Amino acid sequence: MVFGLLAAGLALAMQEVIGAFAGWISILTGRQFRVGDRIQMCGVRGDVLDITPLRTRILESGSSSDPESWIRGRQYTGRVVSLSNRFVFTAPVFNSSTVLDHLWEELTLPVPYEADWHLAERILCEEAESISSTVEARRAIEQMRRRYPVADAEVDPRVFVRATPNWVELSARFVVPVRAARQVKDQVTRRVLDRFADSGIRVASVTQDITIHPPQATETVAVAPGDRR
């Protein structure tokens, strides 16, 4: 029985090793990613440091959408994560840099209905145009279309308007380099907020203004005993 358990354990271990080695072959031949690419696999995001026959090492980066990440942006956390190569067969692999090396980013701001949302839209559009890497992204897309049968993508900055029950939602869409996304969004956010403040446009929020009117004081008249007034 002991030998049977050992044999089963050895078979399981060999299955993991064979799967990892097959994944390594798939990575190399399928060009799924290479050293230096920014990828996401099995929930881990970051830059590929090393690809060995059994494991891929990734320098982890943070995420604004992952509640477990203490880095709220696409910047390094300092941790190196090792993943088995067999996961390329069982989990999707997102590669952000192998073809385009650019990302579409959005800055969304709510504006009150009573504010001049047309001016706010113009401010957002101007700042998005000043910060967007449109020319570089268009060149990368043209190179990608020579290799892959994909439709032409819109890379020009644009502001989308959406009406909600509480405010006008403005979303500026623009293109940024993969490894500079957080810095670029920080810059454009600061500029937009400063221009909003200079123009008297405030950003809407879910807070409520409540005005409390104190009860009116009533006049008290003292009446002397015997006074029939």
Side-chain angles (χ1 to χ4, degrees):
M1 181 177 179
V2 174
F3 289 105
L5 293 176
L6 290 176
L10 181 60
L12 180 61
M14 289 302 299
Q15 182 180 1
E16 293 290 325
V17 171
I18 294 173
F21 186 78
W24 177 61
I25 299 298
S26 176
I27 293 171
L28 297 182
T29 58
R31 296 183 295 180
Q32 298 186 48
F33 54 83
R34 58 187 178 182
V35 174
D37 283 352
R38 174 153 293 191
I39 69 170
Q40 176 182 338
M41 182 169 65
C42 294
V44 178
R45 304 168 179 83
D47 292 347
V48 178
L49 296 178
D50 189 24
I51 305 173
T52 68
L54 297 182
R55 293 187 176 274
T56 295
R57 293 183 178 88
I58 301 173
L59 180 58
E60 185 187 42
S61 63
S63 170
S64 58
S65 59
D66 187 356
E68 297 184 359
S69 177
W70 67 92
I71 302 296
R72 310 304 295 173
R74 303 182 190 99
Q75 292 180 309
Y76 297 137
T77 65
R79 301 191 301 187
V80 175
V81 183
S82 297
L83 295 175
S84 174
N85 292 332
R86 68 179 180 84
F87 287 123
V88 298
F89 297 119
T90 59
V93 179
F94 303 93
N95 194 323
S96 302
S97 58
T98 185
V99 178
L100 288 179
D101 203 29
H102 287 78
L103 292 174
W104 278 265
E105 184 63 85
E106 285 194 356
L107 173 62
T108 300
L109 292 174
V111 176
Y113 278 102
E114 61 270 17
D116 188 351
W117 66 267
H118 291 284
L119 176 58
E121 178 189 12
R122 186 162 63 251
I123 291 174
L124 267 174
C125 188
E126 290 173 357
E127 294 302 330
E129 289 175 349
S130 68
I131 207 74
S132 180
S133 301
T134 305
V135 177
E136 296 83 354
R138 184 176 290 113
R139 187 181 304 117
I141 290 176
E142 291 175 355
Q143 295 177 356
M144 180 184 67
R145 295 185 65 189
R146 297 191 186 103
R147 296 174 53 187
Y148 304 101
V150 295
D152 192 14
E154 181 183 3
V155 295
D156 293 324
R158 184 176 174 184
V159 176
F160 296 90
V161 181
R162 187 172 74 94
T164 74
N166 300 309
W167 50 63
V168 179
E169 185 180 273
L170 304 177
S171 297
R173 180 177 171 87
F174 48 92
V175 182
V176 297
V178 170
R179 290 172 176 81
R182 192 178 192 187
Q183 294 89 331
V184 171
K185 192 170 185 179
D186 171 78
Q187 295 174 18
V188 71
T189 302
R190 291 172 182 269
R191 295 178 186 177
V192 168
L193 292 179
D194 287 341
R195 292 188 62 181
F196 274 19
D198 294 340
S199 303
I201 301 173
R202 68 179 182 89
V203 178
S205 66
V206 294
T207 58
Q208 293 181 343
D209 295 330
I210 301 177
T211 302
I212 300 177
H213 299 281
Q216 295 182 354
T218 58
E219 183 180 355
T220 303
V221 179
V223 179
D227 192 345
R228 300 291 184 180
R229 293 184 301 168

